[in-house]
Amino acid sequence: MTRVGARSIDTAGLHIREYRDLDGLPSRYRDLFEAESRRGLHWDRPWLEAVIRYGPALDGPLLLLGVEDADGSPVALNIGFSSERFGEAMRCRTLSLQHSEVPYRPLVVPGLSPVDVLRMVARYARRSDPPYDALRIRPLDPDGELYRGLPSVLRAEGWIMQRFYMFPTWHEDVSGRDAAEYLRALHARPNRARTRVERRARNLETSGRSRVEICSGGVALDAAAWDYERVFARSWKEGLIGLPYQRAIMQVAAQVGALRLALLYVDERPAAAQFWMITGGTAYLHRSAYDETFRDLSPGTVLTWHTVRHLLDVDHVQALDLGVGDDAYKADWASIRRERWGILAFNPRTWAGLKAAALNIGGSAARRVTPRALQPLIARLRRD
């Protein structure tokens, strides 16, 4: 059942309206989704549906915040989650704006600044009935518009804020390069990755024991996905993956031709698996694993080389993104390490928000923006 409520915001005649599920969005939001999907699959409606339904670490019940003009036409949409707790123990009404693993931003019509949209959200969260105690936005690109612009916006709206580190990603610009050029660049690195890649790939290929399959969808997807899951079940990553989530986003990627599900077979057994997705000219590695039984054959290295060669010479991607984490092998394949951060803000005009700010950020920051009558409480909270 969809709950709908309006909050009037005095910003150029726009207002925020709440929706509790994607199916409850009016049909007029269709144009906004279609326009955003051209920027990349991560903002396509089927992808968001999969993330919302199956994605890991969601912070609570879904809360969609649509920004609409006086005629009810949507100009932006925020994907959020509303919770009555901050973390596991603290009771604190929290609004989280988050995406899966790519930097967060609202869906917006051309010409509207995402920073201005988040300004409205910050005002809405403070003026809600009851008001929100905390606001969390993640992950963010520290070089991006939102990360740079939000601190001043949040402070102007009366929030106490802090930044927090989330995770790294590894990136390589391969625009205009084929696989041979890319391999030569690997050779120039101190770890001599090219020599290692060539030797291990050649040894396995000449043995006649191996083959590589790269599935992009169709009738082969079910069998390929099953073999992908078999690899994870035999790897040290077994407990680190939500298979229903992976299956759901594979299906979404396959429907638009973005899926590259790579499998290395040794003696007709799946030995290594990688889930890549191509969108916006970038190939994203979502998950990879190998069967520990074949560890001595370096199946992960061999499969990575075969897949990257396909991505460059067949798909002609412009960049490689090796996903979340600082796994040692990623520095062999990419040279740019990027960080993802989040922003956390507390409402000093609610008791729970003031308490959370005092405990998480510190008394000096809280004192700067709270009314003088409440400042003695901060010192007490810090002592307690």
Side-chain angles (χ1 to χ4, degrees):
M1 182 173 178
T2 302
R3 174 187 166 191
V4 180
R7 298 287 187 270
S8 295
I9 301 295
D10 54 344
T11 303
L14 301 176
H15 66 270
I16 286 182
R17 189 175 295 275
E18 297 178 358
Y19 298 95
R20 294 291 175 169
D21 58 70
L22 285 169
D23 290 338
L25 288 173
S27 59
R28 55 183 179 268
Y29 275 84
R30 186 181 301 115
D31 292 342
L32 182 59
F33 276 111
E34 290 179 357
E36 284 289 334
S37 67
R38 300 187 191 105
R39 300 189 183 188
L41 184 57
H42 293 113
W43 287 270
D44 199 8
R45 176 166 175 156
W47 179 273
L48 292 173
E49 287 175 339
V51 171
I52 290 167
R53 183 173 181 181
Y54 299 105
L58 302 182
D59 284 337
L62 178 66
L63 179 62
L64 303 172
L65 300 178
V67 181
E68 302 173 1
D69 63 18
D71 296 327
S73 298
V75 297
L77 181 67
N78 298 273
I79 310 298
F81 301 89
S82 177
S83 172
E84 296 303 316
R85 293 194 174 275
F86 180 78
E88 295 182 358
M90 184 179 297
R91 186 169 182 82
C92 183
R93 192 164 188 253
T94 303
L95 173 61
S96 296
L97 304 181
Q98 64 186 83
H99 212 292
S100 48
E101 296 172 354
V102 295
Y104 179 85
R105 68 169 178 79
L107 285 75
V108 295
V109 297
L112 183 61
S113 166
V115 175
D116 288 338
V117 172
L118 268 295
R119 184 194 309 275
M120 292 184 63
V121 171
R123 193 171 302 174
Y124 150 87
R126 190 165 55 84
R127 296 181 179 180
S128 291
D129 183 19
Y132 281 92
D133 307 306
L135 178 62
R136 179 164 41 200
I137 306 165
R138 62 183 183 180
L140 294 169
D141 178 357
D143 296 321
E145 177 185 6
L146 280 178
Y147 190 83
R148 295 194 308 267
L150 274 178
S152 60
V153 165
L154 291 170
R155 293 188 186 105
E157 293 297 329
W159 294 82
I160 309 171
M161 63 140 288
Q162 70 175 161
R163 302 174 177 90
F164 61 95
Y165 173 75
M166 291 194 65
F167 53 79
T169 66
W170 284 84
H171 184 89
E172 183 74 8
D173 183 0
V174 294
S175 181
R177 295 157 65 184
D178 61 16
E181 291 173 303
Y182 174 76
L183 199 57
R184 284 195 294 271
L186 290 185
H187 187 56
R189 297 179 186 171
N191 58 23
R192 300 211 175 254
R194 173 185 174 181
T195 303
R196 184 168 65 256
V197 168
E198 288 180 324
R199 182 178 67 251
R200 292 177 179 177
R202 182 172 58 250
N203 290 346
L204 192 53
E205 288 172 357
T206 56
S207 71
R209 300 172 56 196
S210 69
R211 63 182 175 90
V212 172
E213 299 287 343
I214 299 178
C215 175
S216 58
V219 295
L221 179 55
D222 281 345
W226 173 244
D227 285 342
Y228 170 89
E229 294 171 9
R230 288 174 61 194
V231 171
F232 271 88
R234 293 177 174 270
S235 78
W236 63 271
K237 295 185 177 182
E238 178 183 0
L240 302 182
I241 182 172
L243 292 177
Y245 173 55
Q246 297 300 312
R247 282 265 189 169
I249 59 177
M250 280 181 193
Q251 291 286 351
V252 173
Q255 288 169 8
V256 295
L259 176 67
R260 300 295 181 270
L261 183 56
L263 291 152
L264 170 69
Y265 295 86
V266 176
D267 299 332
E268 295 305 315
R269 289 174 54 190
Q274 295 182 354
F275 169 17
W276 292 78
M277 186 188 75
I278 302 173
T279 182
T282 297
Y284 293 88
L285 176 59
H286 276 272
R287 295 289 185 272
S288 66
Y290 63 85
D291 185 336
E292 294 283 349
T293 306
F294 301 100
R295 184 185 185 91
D296 293 343
L297 299 176
S298 300
T301 298
V302 174
L303 181 58
T304 301
W305 167 237
H306 278 282
T307 309
V308 167
R309 186 165 59 187
H310 181 96
L311 292 169
L312 270 64
D313 290 349
V314 178
D315 295 313
H316 305 293
V317 300
Q318 301 170 16
L320 303 173
D321 187 306
L322 299 186
V324 174
D326 258 334
D327 306 76
Y329 77 89
K330 293 182 179 181
D332 289 344
W333 302 96
S335 59
I336 302 171
R337 184 181 184 273
R338 294 175 170 175
E339 293 185 347
R340 298 293 179 245
W341 285 67
I343 287 180
L344 181 61
F346 297 103
N347 185 354
R349 285 161 174 76
T350 68
W351 172 248
L354 180 62
K355 180 179 179 180
L359 296 178
N360 285 273
I361 301 177
S364 60
R367 282 194 298 270
R368 286 197 295 270
V369 296
T370 51
R372 182 173 298 178
L374 294 179
Q375 290 180 8
L377 296 176
I378 299 169
R380 193 184 79 191
L381 288 169
R382 296 294 291 174
R383 288 195 303 270
D384 293 343

